[in-house]
Amino acid sequence: MIDIFNNFYKGKRVLVTGHTGFKGSWLSIWLHGLGAEVIGVAQEPFTERDNYVLSGIGNKIKADIRADIRDGQRMKEIFQEYQPEIVFHLAAQPLVRLSYDIPVETYETNVMGTINVMEAMRATDSVKVGVMITTDKCYENKEQIWGYRENEPMGGYDPYSSSKGAAEIAIASWRRSFFNPADYGTKHHVSLASVRAGNVIGGGDWALDRIIPDCIKALEAGKAIDIRSPKAIRPWQHVLEPLSGYMLLAQKMWNEPTKYCEGWNFGPRAESITPVWDVAQDVIKYYGSGTLNDVSDPNALHEAKLLMLDISKAKFLLGWEPRMNIHQCIKLTIDWYKNYRTNNVYNLCTKQIKDYLSNN
């Protein structure tokens, strides 16, 4: 595997919460390919077709642990046993519409779960870097036409978005209270950052209410693709884009612990901020078949119509920027879904990582 991190991850103990999920499985595959000792902590995967299941990554990493981040004592026990050096916290209740059905569980998972992970970090001397993954929806959304910057207010209309905004406030509080850069080297040895990505797509995602899984399920069943919010504009990006940012940030935090411990946006290029309908049309184009059906409901539960991230900070201070445009992102995603039934999925994923890194 091409290593843009210059052997940084080789031999490092890296704990990933939510490794059975969509983003977490891709991150675990990438880290494992770089020689990291990956400790995965998560609940059971969503379906038997998830990227985690089909890739078999759970059998390859150092530890594949089932645990609930709402159990703070269990988190501390796992951290004590495996002594991670770097933590990527991805475990979450990640769905907007589901959060209306289970608002309390959404808050317990996304807010208290995040606090439990930070408390486990605080109780474990080996931890040097913590990258806490939230979402672009953590910002107080004003449906503005310019991207949100890292210093803008947290908020959220629905329980999911507001829980992520609350998690961001908690992360900032723990950084000031327990992981303060001014106290680094005397009172603690942890560099803590939070990261926000856009609408992430890629192979092996079968979650509910997401455009790519909805498209693929319809296409595989020979049905028309129902589009719930055709005019909603989102910052689409392939899963490998933000993951490359998270991994680069962790490396920089390790090398300069007090310089990068803050919030970061890892969004797509401006031209990738496009309506749902256009994305679905591209899916049909690259899949080679299919039709679209507008089923928008004016009385549907509230979901943000316009979301954009400003990535200037990551671009200028980290040297990170997206490698792919929207069409390349969708094509790489659909290639996975066209091949997962007949190919070795772990090899398919590592090839896609290699192809992504070769894409200038």
Side-chain angles (χ1 to χ4, degrees):
M1 183 179 289
I2 299 169
D3 187 355
I4 58 173
F5 306 104
N6 298 314
N7 283 326
F8 170 75
Y9 284 98
K10 189 174 180 63
K12 293 272 194 317
R13 296 188 301 280
V14 184
L15 188 144
V16 178
T17 71
H19 74 295
T20 61
F22 165 50
K23 286 171 73 176
S25 66
W26 277 98
L27 178 59
S28 299
I29 289 167
W30 198 342
L31 288 167
H32 176 71
L34 296 176
E37 295 183 8
V38 180
I39 303 111
V41 180
Q43 294 189 303
E44 291 293 340
F46 181 65
T47 77
E48 288 303 306
R49 291 196 295 175
D50 280 17
N51 190 48
Y52 162 84
V53 178
L54 297 182
S55 68
I57 184 60
N59 298 320
K60 299 178 188 294
I61 58 179
K62 180 181 177 68
D64 179 26
I65 302 164
R66 293 293 168 275
D68 191 326
I69 58 171
R70 293 175 294 177
D71 185 342
Q73 183 57 38
R74 182 74 180 110
M75 289 302 108
K76 287 180 180 176
E77 291 169 358
I78 292 167
F79 274 63
Q80 286 298 316
E81 180 177 355
Y82 289 96
Q83 296 288 304
E85 298 167 289
I86 298 171
V87 176
F88 290 101
H89 171 50
L90 292 90
Q93 192 298 91
L95 302 173
V96 172
R97 294 218 302 171
L98 182 60
S99 76
Y100 283 106
D101 297 331
I102 54 167
V104 175
E105 185 178 327
T106 298
Y107 258 73
E108 287 173 345
T109 302
N110 294 351
V111 183
M112 284 311 302
T114 296
I115 289 171
N116 288 338
V117 171
M118 291 190 292
E119 284 293 275
M121 290 168 54
R122 199 153 74 91
T124 310
D125 290 341
S126 61
V127 178
K128 300 290 186 288
V129 170
V131 178
M132 318 300 281
I133 287 81
T134 63
T135 175
D136 60 341
K137 297 174 185 65
C138 67
Y139 292 107
E140 182 62 52
N141 188 17
K142 303 178 181 70
E143 307 279 347
Q144 64 191 30
I145 59 170
W146 51 88
Y148 292 94
R149 293 177 177 172
E150 287 86 347
N151 59 357
E152 297 200 52
M154 297 294 128
Y157 180 108
D158 56 87
Y160 167 74
S161 302
S162 61
S163 75
K164 287 295 196 172
E168 283 280 1
I169 292 169
I171 293 162
S173 171
W174 258 247
R175 181 165 48 239
R176 293 189 189 105
S177 303
F178 309 114
F179 304 128
N180 198 307
D183 298 326
Y184 184 86
T186 54
K187 296 181 180 178
H188 71 91
H189 293 87
V190 174
S191 182
L192 182 70
S194 61
V195 296
R196 305 134 194 179
N199 276 50
V200 177
I201 62 175
D205 183 13
W206 299 99
L208 300 171
D209 296 333
R210 287 190 185 157
I211 183 61
I212 298 295
D214 286 352
C215 287
I216 298 300
K217 289 170 193 171
L219 290 168
E220 289 188 346
K223 297 178 180 177
I225 299 169
D226 290 339
I227 304 296
R228 200 177 67 248
S229 304
K231 295 178 182 177
I233 296 170
R234 295 285 185 270
W236 308 99
Q237 57 193 144
H238 191 274
V239 62
L240 298 178
E241 299 273 36
L243 293 186
S244 70
Y246 303 167
M247 293 165 71
L248 174 64
L249 175 62
Q251 181 180 13
K252 288 186 175 289
M253 291 166 68
W254 180 282
N255 293 329
E256 296 184 76
T258 61
K259 187 174 179 180
Y260 299 99
C261 50
E262 48 195 42
W264 298 87
N265 289 340
F266 293 102
R269 298 178 183 178
E271 67 268 22
S272 294
I273 302 166
T274 54
V276 169
W277 188 266
D278 293 358
V279 170
Q281 285 184 318
D282 251 12
V283 168
I284 287 173
K285 172 184 167 185
Y286 293 118
Y287 198 83
S289 63
T291 55
L292 302 182
N293 184 26
D294 183 346
V295 294
S296 49
D297 176 5
N299 300 312
L301 293 169
H302 177 275
E303 291 187 69
K305 298 292 184 290
L306 176 64
L307 276 172
M308 290 188 282
L309 292 174
D310 186 318
I311 59 171
S312 303
K313 183 177 166 183
K315 191 172 179 178
F316 291 111
L317 299 185
L318 296 178
W320 176 90
E321 59 183 319
R323 291 169 176 261
M324 298 191 292
N325 62 38
I326 181 66
H327 306 295
Q328 291 169 311
C329 291
I330 295 171
K331 184 178 186 305
L332 193 61
T333 299
I334 299 308
D335 282 349
W336 190 99
Y337 287 105
K338 288 173 73 173
N339 288 292
Y340 79 94
R341 291 178 184 274
T342 54
N343 288 37
N344 177 296
V345 172
Y346 181 82
N347 292 342
L348 177 61
C349 291
T350 54
K351 181 182 184 301
Q352 290 207 334
I353 293 170
K354 182 179 177 181
D355 291 347
Y356 164 74
L357 294 173
S358 301
N359 198 328
N360 295 316

